[in-house]
Amino acid sequence: MMETPAAASCTRRPLLCLLLAALCLRPGLGMYTVNAVYGDTIVMPCPQGVPNNLMFGKWKYEMADTSPVFIAFRSTTKKTVQYDDVPEYKDRLSLSENYTLSIKNARISDEKRFVCMLVTVDNVYEEPTVVKVFKQPSQPEIIHPANFLETEKLKMLGECIARESYPDGNITWYKNGNILQPVEGVVVMSLQKVVDQSTGLFTTTSSLQYMPTKKDANAQFACSVTYYGPSGQEKISSEPVVFDVHYPTEKVTIKVLSQRNTIKEGDNITLKCSGNGNPPPQEFLFYIPGEPEGIRSSDTYIMTDVRRNATGEYKCSLIDRSMEDSTTIIVHYLDLSLTPSGEVIKQIGEALPVSCTISSSRNATMFWIKDNTRMQTSPSFSSLEYKDAGNYICETTLQEVEGLKKRQTLTLIVEGKPQIRMSKKTQSNKSKTIICHVEGFPKPAVQWTTTGSGSIINKTEETNYVNGKFSSKIVISPEENVTLTCIAENQLERTVTSINVSAISIPEYDEPDERNGDNREKVNDQAKLIVGIVVGLLLAALVAGIIYWVYMKKSKPLPRTVSHFLNPPSNSYSPNLCPQSDVNGKSEKAAAQSFQTLVRTASKHVDKDLGNIEENKKLEENNHKSEA
């Protein structure tokens, strides 16, 4: 068999033939893949173990439709490393003693098939490694967002962009966390991918056109990019964006802005009208009771110091009057009329009708206060007394309306001329207390004088002036009968009353300082008791005389003697009487004397008691005269 020239050449240069054969070898069936991150260092170990008789090793990369390009060489004999002059790998390669190739600052262009070739004396070994480079995109963001969206209109919402990724990613839109699917005429999406020729990185952009509804107000829109990395598929989401959705007004509402639940006269009223559209209407027509035409204003209308005639129905509408709303306002009021009011001066004993009337929007409560004390009933004066004087307040409130109350004042002054009533007390120590009871307003000035000299007595005591009454008293021990005069005087009149005080001291029960009709009845009862006792004594004496007369008649009937006893003559001695009747005459005389003594004793008691009664009656008459 003839040897070909090529075979002859391989026989002479076996090493050269081995290199040529290695260059012509097709890629092996097994393939090792290295995943690298853009910008990091690519580390590619030589998959084939280093043989013992290794001469040298080389790294090359292969690209489709191009011849292999050697990039690194290492000799086991010379212990040297050589890097081929490949511009894109200049200063980026590193080959270790175990023939591991490292490439710094990984690029998209490094995504190739690299081959580790080991050459021995009798063989050539090649093992390919495929490099995959990944670049995570930047966080996607929504750019060129719409200022607002409008219902019933398809409008560009915005664009979602994810920059500098490798390989390229895919963009998905979300509304409130839910994936948006394309809907013709409602949700329209378009995707665009651009490659940077210098870096090989992708920029992915997705635009979204959207027709919102009213429910999309405050909806959150977001997008995400899905890409592949060294560990598989991953996703990055954008920040959510809320769009202002414009929609027309469908309802108008009117409200009363007030700090209280109720409105009273004098308050300010602020009406606010609003529409549920977006943006809301800025102007409205307000319809006020009593105004024939609507008042054009902003969304608020203010009324100050309202009166009760402001009660009524209030309306507001859109400028085109297409829709309106209404509300009813009640202005509460409270009127109080007191008759009479202010300062009123009346005389004691006069009548004073008082009326306090109320007019209000609701049922009101009324009460009276006199001198800071609440009264149980309304005042009524048919006959004024000094105690009726004072400061009266008629006050009314509406419990349902905060701060609504009214009050009016009546200052009642009850005047009266001085009135005097005098009384006395006699103590066991011969001293006498004379009391001058005085009534009147303004308060009378009291002065004591004595009869004869007219001297003024200064040592007096006065009680407190209460309800137009007080008393002045003096204590004396007279050596002779005196007359005391009590003088009471105010701006209306001067009143004088006197009392006779006896020097004789007869112990008496103290008379009360204040004597009324009950006291007078007690004095009359005492007089009746005394008269009854005297009459009883007289009756007892008469019965005794009759009994004696009956006795004498039974013992010896002497009608003449009895007649003489009952009707004695001017000369009690008569010579015509029978001598045998001396004894009987003496007995009759003694009986007559005893009867006369009994009558005189009873008369003395009657005179004494009647004298005391007479003195008391005179004191009462003086008091009545003073009062008259």
Side-chain angles (χ1 to χ4, degrees), residues 379-506:
S380 177
F381 309 112
S382 58
S383 179
L384 286 171
E385 300 178 15
Y386 291 116
K387 64 180 181 181
D388 295 328
N391 188 43
Y392 293 85
I393 298 175
C394 179
E395 184 170 311
T396 180
T397 59
L398 275 182
Q399 300 292 342
E400 302 174 8
V401 183
E402 181 183 356
L404 185 55
K405 65 179 181 179
K406 294 289 182 66
R407 59 162 52 187
Q408 286 192 17
T409 303
L410 166 64
T411 302
L412 177 58
I413 299 174
V414 180
E415 291 185 344
K417 300 176 182 180
Q419 295 182 8
I420 299 176
R421 183 174 50 82
M422 300 186 71
S423 64
K424 68 177 181 178
K425 296 179 183 179
T426 303
Q427 285 78 23
S428 59
N429 59 356
K430 298 183 180 182
S431 64
K432 294 178 181 289
T433 300
I434 313 302
I435 304 175
C436 184
H437 305 275
V438 183
E439 294 184 12
F441 186 87
K443 180 183 177 181
V446 175
Q447 190 177 33
W448 288 87
T449 62
T450 59
T451 305
S453 62
S455 59
I456 299 174
I457 302 173
N458 294 323
K459 294 182 179 180
T460 62
E461 295 181 12
E462 285 190 3
T463 59
N464 292 332
Y465 182 64
V466 178
N467 292 330
K469 298 180 181 181
F470 71 103
S471 61
S472 175
K473 71 177 181 178
I474 60 172
V475 180
I476 61 173
S477 299
E479 298 295 334
E480 57 182 2
N481 296 341
V482 295
T483 299
L484 295 178
T485 301
C486 177
I487 304 171
E489 183 179 5
N490 63 8
Q491 291 90 328
L492 302 178
E493 194 175 82
R494 183 173 186 267
T495 304
V496 179
T497 301
S498 299
I499 187 172
N500 295 324
V501 181
S502 174
I504 299 175
S505 177
I506 300 175

Side-chain angles (χ1 to χ4, degrees), residues 254-259 263 266-273 284-289 291 295-307 310 314-316 329 331:
I254 185 172
K255 292 182 179 180
V256 180
L257 304 182
S258 176
Q259 297 179 350
I263 298 173
D267 287 348
N268 298 335
I269 298 178
T270 299
L271 298 175
K272 184 174 179 61
C273 198
F284 296 88
L285 291 176
F286 288 88
Y287 298 90
I288 310 301
E291 296 290 338
I295 301 174
R296 187 163 183 164
S297 176
S298 63
D299 59 348
T300 57
Y301 182 78
I302 301 175
M303 297 181 294
T304 60
D305 192 22
V306 296
R307 301 289 99 188
Y314 290 77
K315 297 180 181 180
C316 78
I329 295 178
V331 179

Side-chain angles (χ1 to χ4, degrees), residues 191-262:
L191 185 65
Q192 182 181 11
K193 298 179 181 180
V194 179
V195 179
D196 188 334
Q197 298 299 326
S198 62
T199 62
L201 299 177
F202 288 91
T203 295
T204 305
T205 304
S206 175
S207 62
L208 173 63
Q209 298 181 66
Y210 187 73
M211 180 186 293
T213 64
K214 186 177 178 180
K215 295 180 179 179
D216 291 325
N218 300 320
Q220 292 184 340
F221 290 85
C223 63
S224 68
V225 59
T226 303
Y227 66 97
Y228 283 92
S231 58
Q233 192 177 54
E234 298 181 16
K235 183 176 73 173
I236 303 176
S237 298
S238 69
E239 294 294 332
V241 178
V242 177
F243 293 89
D244 188 15
V245 179
H246 288 189
Y247 47 87
T249 297
E250 299 174 350
K251 183 180 179 181
V252 172
T253 303
I254 185 172
K255 292 182 179 180
V256 180
L257 304 182
S258 176
Q259 297 179 350
R260 303 183 181 91
N261 295 328
T262 55

Side-chain angles (χ1 to χ4, degrees), residues 134-181:
F134 299 92
K135 169 67 169 64
Q136 173 183 313
S138 61
Q139 182 181 11
E141 61 177 326
I142 298 176
I143 61 175
H144 309 133
N147 294 329
F148 60 89
L149 302 176
E150 293 183 76
T151 57
E152 307 302 327
K153 289 185 179 181
L154 182 65
K155 191 173 183 179
M156 180 65 70
L157 182 143
E159 296 179 346
C160 180
I161 184 169
R163 297 180 176 88
E164 299 180 345
S165 67
Y166 190 86
D168 60 341
N170 191 28
I171 290 178
T172 305
W173 285 91
Y174 299 86
K175 185 184 78 171
N176 294 330
N178 300 318
I179 296 177
L180 276 176
Q181 299 292 346

Side-chain angles (χ1 to χ4, degrees), residues 21-69:
L23 292 173
C24 296
L25 284 176
R26 300 178 69 87
L29 296 177
M31 193 171 295
Y32 183 72
T33 302
V34 173
N35 293 330
V37 176
Y38 184 85
D40 290 351
T41 299
I42 304 173
V43 179
M44 294 180 288
C46 187
Q48 177 66 41
V50 179
N52 294 328
N53 57 350
L54 180 65
M55 298 174 59
F56 60 89
K58 280 192 173 187
W59 276 90
K60 62 179 179 178
Y61 67 84
E62 299 174 344
M63 297 184 67
D65 302 328
T66 60
S67 59
V69 177

